[in-house]
Amino acid sequence: TGQSKPKYIFLSPTATVNKNTKMTRPEPSQSYKASQFEKVLKSNIVNEIDLRKLSWNGIPDQHRARTWKILLGYLPTNSSRSGILRRKREEYRHFASLYAQQHPSVRTDHERQLIKQVRADVQRTAPYIPLFRANRVQVSLERLLYTWSVRHPASSYVQGINDLATPLFTVFLQDYFDGLDVIEMQNLDFISDNILLEVEADCYWCLNNLLSKIQDHYTPDQPGIQRMLFQMENLLRRVDPDLHAYLKGLGVELIHFAFRWMNCLLVREMSMKCTIRMWDTYLSESNGFDDYHVYVCAAFLHHFGHKLKKMEFEEALAALTHGIGRLPYGEFDVLDLEVVLSQAYIWRSRLKENRIKEYQMVLPNQTCSSQSRGTTGAKYLGETLFPISLMSDVGSLFS
């Protein structure tokens, strides 16, 4: 991250790590990928375009924290990273002391209700991951979520934001262990308060920057999520009509399960390892957590279509609302995720191609009339290439 930090290569006896973690030399292909990241990240000015291209297919563990911080706009691409990091961490400490450490008697009724809600959600966050059962981690999450919420009254806190903090916290903590898997740790007594506070501060700022990109997901009535549900419904109807019809026949509506998929960005539906890998790709996309996420959700549902079409209403609804990517409903791993990400990319590319074809067909017949209206070429291109009709009926693009 541009600043020296302690590295814990050998963990203390009080720490536990995932028993499946392999401390082995990387394969040659992995070493090549890591060397490509190192070359980009060591430049005096990081080429963000190159970094995004590399990140689409996954980021090596040892480079992930720094890459995420750059792609989320927390760290600059120039060489002044260490100074900015110190300043931002100190700024967060000030915010946390100002808001989260207030005596309850000086808080407003709204603030008391807010911290009660945040605390309750933190207790329920990632219950299957030992790291997030650790008391010190829960204290950190509560503090950063409450601080963020008080500083953003327009949207404030919405259930689901707590889930979005977990991949960030995991990746930034792993950075102090050279990317070693930390999710099985629950006893963190050997980690200093200062290190945890640095992780907390980095998580706060990166969460803040992420939420600023999808702000309408969490404003009143959550219009961004409503829009994404509408788009997914139309997309699924065309790319997998059999599954769409089967779920409709059962009485299972997208709103029953996909609202959570949009609200929590699938964090609750798959393992943390898969979530982190998915976010590598999302961060490499210009609109990964919004537009591309709709395609990923549709591809994710399509992936389990063969299983769902053997289920009755209660079983299907239970699977879709209780983490279909987890046991006992299914074991969804990183290789499965790669297939889903690729399928989503293909569907989105096909949509874009058909938009261009539609524009090319319409343009010759409309050029004169558009000029007579005094419409500029750029404005007309935008209106034709992205007509509102495509939002309401994706179907014609896939027929």
Side-chain angles (χ1 to χ4, degrees):
T1 57
Q3 183 180 13
S4 61
K5 58 180 180 292
K7 293 285 188 179
Y8 293 90
I9 306 302
F10 301 100
L11 304 181
S12 84
T14 60
T16 58
V17 297
N18 191 323
K19 63 183 179 181
N20 296 321
T21 300
K22 298 179 180 180
M23 300 294 290
T24 57
R25 185 181 298 277
E27 296 296 325
S29 59
Q30 293 174 317
S31 295
Y32 176 76
K33 178 188 279 190
S35 68
Q36 295 301 299
F37 271 90
E38 189 168 354
K39 179 180 178 181
V40 172
L41 291 170
K42 280 192 171 181
S43 301
N44 289 332
I45 297 180
V46 174
N47 187 317
E48 192 171 336
I49 294 175
D50 289 345
L51 189 60
R52 289 182 184 277
K53 287 179 181 178
L54 287 173
S55 299
W56 206 98
N57 289 313
I59 305 170
D61 292 337
Q62 66 269 34
H63 297 301
R64 181 173 283 115
R66 187 177 176 190
T67 300
W68 279 24
K69 290 172 186 177
I70 291 174
L71 295 182
L72 279 166
Y74 175 43
L75 287 181
T77 56
N78 59 36
S79 57
S80 62
R81 288 182 283 270
S82 59
I84 289 179
L85 196 61
R86 284 193 298 271
R87 180 175 60 80
K88 298 297 283 186
R89 286 171 173 172
E90 186 57 40
E91 191 175 353
Y92 172 73
R93 288 175 187 254
H94 171 70
F95 291 154
S97 64
L98 187 62
Y99 300 112
Q101 296 176 16
Q102 285 180 323
H103 192 275
S105 63
V106 302
R107 290 192 176 119
T108 65
D109 289 341
H110 170 72
E111 289 170 343
R112 284 193 287 270
Q113 184 60 36
L114 178 60
I115 199 166
K116 181 180 178 181
Q117 180 65 61
V118 169
R119 184 169 294 148
D121 286 349
V122 166
Q123 295 296 319
R124 297 189 289 258
T125 298
Y128 51 88
I129 297 180
L131 176 65
F132 294 103
R133 306 274 51 79
N135 180 67
R136 294 173 71 199
V137 172
Q138 291 185 344
V139 169
S140 287
L141 286 179
E142 180 183 314
R143 185 164 50 223
L144 76 90
L145 290 170
Y146 177 74
T147 300
W148 182 88
S149 302
V150 173
R151 288 183 50 78
H152 295 81
S155 56
S156 192
Y157 177 76
V158 175
Q159 268 190 327
I161 293 178
N162 54 310
D163 294 284
L164 306 191
T166 58
L168 297 168
F169 199 97
T170 301
V171 166
F172 299 156
L173 182 61
Q174 283 179 337
D175 197 36
Y176 290 90
F177 297 88
D178 284 336
L180 193 67
D181 192 353
V182 299
I183 64 173
E184 297 297 329
M185 295 182 184
Q186 189 165 0
N187 186 340
L188 306 181
D189 291 345
F190 65 100
I191 301 179
S192 71
D193 289 340
N194 188 59
I195 287 175
L196 276 184
L197 193 55
E198 287 183 355
V199 171
E200 181 183 327
D202 295 346
C203 185
Y204 170 87
W205 287 114
C206 287
L207 180 66
N208 176 71
N209 292 359
L210 169 60
L211 292 174
S212 70
K213 299 174 185 292
I214 52 175
Q215 190 171 11
D216 66 349
H217 292 201
Y218 303 105
T219 50
D221 298 326
Q222 299 182 264
I225 290 178
Q226 300 293 343
R227 168 179 46 78
M228 293 165 76
L229 287 171
F230 177 76
Q231 291 172 334
M232 182 179 171
E233 178 84 39
N234 287 322
L235 179 61
L236 184 65
R237 184 185 293 117
R238 300 302 173 167
V239 298
D240 197 341
D242 291 343
L243 178 58
H244 181 268
Y246 184 79
L247 293 177
K248 282 284 187 181
L250 288 182
V252 176
E253 301 288 345
L254 258 63
I255 192 67
H256 294 156
F257 61 91
F259 185 92
R260 188 176 86 170
W261 292 12
M262 305 299 177
N263 193 56
C264 304
L265 296 175
L266 289 174
V267 170
R268 298 186 188 179
E269 317 311 319
M270 58 182 70
S271 69
M272 180 59 70
K273 185 175 182 180
C274 284
T275 298
I276 289 171
R277 168 62 192 90
M278 181 173 67
W279 282 31
D280 288 346
T281 297
Y282 280 14
L283 287 167
S284 74
E285 292 276 346
S286 61
N287 206 13
F289 293 93
D290 189 271
D291 176 69
Y292 182 59
H293 183 65
V294 174
Y295 291 89
V296 171
C297 285
F300 184 70
L301 184 61
H302 172 77
H303 178 83
F304 291 100
H306 65 290
K307 291 185 178 180
L308 289 167
K309 284 186 281 190
K310 297 176 183 177
M311 299 179 183
E312 295 301 323
F313 173 79
E314 290 186 359
E315 186 182 5
L317 187 60
L320 290 166
T321 56
H322 291 86
I324 195 169
R326 302 181 183 282
L327 295 173
Y329 302 108
E331 191 167 8
F332 185 81
D333 60 23
V334 172
L335 291 179
D336 295 319
L337 176 65
E338 300 283 357
V339 173
V340 165
L341 292 173
S342 297
Q343 181 66 77
Y345 181 84
I346 290 170
W347 286 345
R348 189 186 59 173
S349 298
R350 189 185 304 173
L351 174 60
K352 187 179 295 186
E353 288 171 4
N354 279 278
R355 281 174 171 167
I356 294 172
K357 287 178 182 177
E358 183 176 279
Y359 162 69
Q360 290 172 337
M361 292 175 64
V362 171
L363 184 60
N365 298 324
Q366 297 293 330
T367 302
C368 294
S369 60
S370 68
Q371 289 176 345
S372 65
R373 292 195 308 266
T375 307
T376 65
K379 182 174 183 292
Y380 178 68
L381 173 62
E383 290 174 345
T384 309
L385 192 55
F386 303 104
I388 294 175
S389 61
L390 295 184
M391 295 289 293
S392 59
D393 188 7
V394 181
S396 62
L397 304 175
F398 292 94
S399 55

